[in-house]
Amino acid sequence: MINDIKKDAETRMGKSIDSLKHDLKTIRTGRANPSILENIKVPYYGTDTPLAQVANVTTPDARSLSVKPFDKSMVGPIEKAIMASDLGITPTTMGMDIRLNFPPPTEERRRELAKSVAKEGEQAKIAIRNVRRDAIQHVDKLLKDKTITEDDKKRADDDIQKLTDKYVKEVDDVVKEKEKELMAL
């Protein structure tokens, strides 16, 4: 039973790390990356549809993205969706091709983005600590039901804390790497 609780906690903590990495992909570093457009939704036949499902996004060079809608009528709605997003990029349209040019972010903007990355990291740590709390509550319940001994509870609590420390350190590493990427010229 205790092993099941630890496995569940480890799985959930791993998902927190995966979620953090996914969220950090959308933060722009000055280099063009199609994942920056992942969260953009475009109205398509009355439904908000992810941009990747209505257009092909490519990277022609390091500082620009090319968005080619599958349907000619989607050019306008895609442009509006990109402008309405918080990317701070104005699209340039040439026929069916929508180009996004990414200027290198200013020092001030990079610092803002680094703060945003740190905030995302803190949210991931909170999620990991919540998983730890849930796991310890499960172990406490087993002790209360007299399914395990005090020694088993102590050992399980120590193991859960070690797991938590491991994943919190991993969050710090991911955040540090993204901040380094942001601050590089």
Side-chain angles (χ1 to χ4, degrees):
M1 276 185 267
I2 292 175
N3 285 337
D4 293 341
I5 292 170
K6 287 192 274 188
K7 277 190 179 103
D8 178 56
E10 187 166 13
T11 302
R12 290 172 56 200
M13 288 178 186
K15 287 181 181 176
S16 294
I17 297 288
D18 292 343
S19 175
L20 172 66
K21 287 178 181 176
H22 177 74
D23 291 346
L24 292 183
K25 277 184 188 175
T26 62
I27 294 179
R28 149 174 116 79
T29 59
R31 270 182 259 133
N33 186 342
S35 63
I36 291 170
L37 302 176
E38 263 180 24
N39 294 337
I40 295 181
K41 304 263 190 252
V42 181
Y44 187 61
Y45 291 108
T47 307
D48 279 346
T49 309
L51 180 64
Q53 293 181 9
V54 295
N56 187 22
V57 180
T58 58
T59 313
D61 59 61
R63 296 247 182 238
S64 65
L65 288 176
S66 173
V67 181
K68 291 189 172 133
F70 301 133
D71 180 2
K72 189 175 184 176
S73 66
M74 290 304 296
V75 173
I78 289 173
E79 270 187 311
K80 286 180 188 168
I82 291 170
M83 282 194 270
S85 72
D86 61 351
L87 287 177
I89 299 292
T90 305
T92 307
T93 307
M94 294 175 270
M96 285 273 293
D97 189 21
I98 301 169
R99 302 264 313 184
L100 302 171
N101 293 315
F102 291 87
T106 62
E107 182 72 23
E108 182 181 328
R109 178 68 177 147
R110 286 197 304 249
R111 289 188 197 284
E112 273 178 42
L113 292 171
K115 285 180 187 175
S116 158
V117 167
K119 192 184 292 185
E120 291 287 337
E122 194 54 43
Q123 292 300 318
K125 288 181 188 178
I126 289 169
I128 289 169
R129 290 183 196 120
N130 287 340
V131 171
R132 176 190 61 193
R133 184 197 61 221
D134 293 346
I136 289 175
Q137 284 176 347
H138 285 297
V139 172
D140 289 345
K141 186 174 181 330
L142 290 176
L143 178 67
K144 186 178 172 191
D145 296 342
K146 300 200 187 302
T147 312
I148 61 172
T149 65
E150 281 283 339
D151 289 343
D152 291 339
K153 180 203 178 317
K154 177 76 172 121
R155 231 176 280 117
D157 286 353
D158 289 345
D159 290 347
I160 292 167
Q161 185 58 48
K162 285 177 188 167
L163 207 56
T164 304
D165 293 342
K166 172 186 161 195
Y167 280 98
V168 165
K169 183 184 180 320
E170 194 171 333
V171 166
D172 288 338
D173 293 345
V174 168
V175 167
K176 199 174 291 175
E177 186 62 34
K178 186 66 174 188
E179 286 176 341
K180 186 175 146 190
E181 186 181 321
L182 280 170
M183 296 313 277
L185 288 174

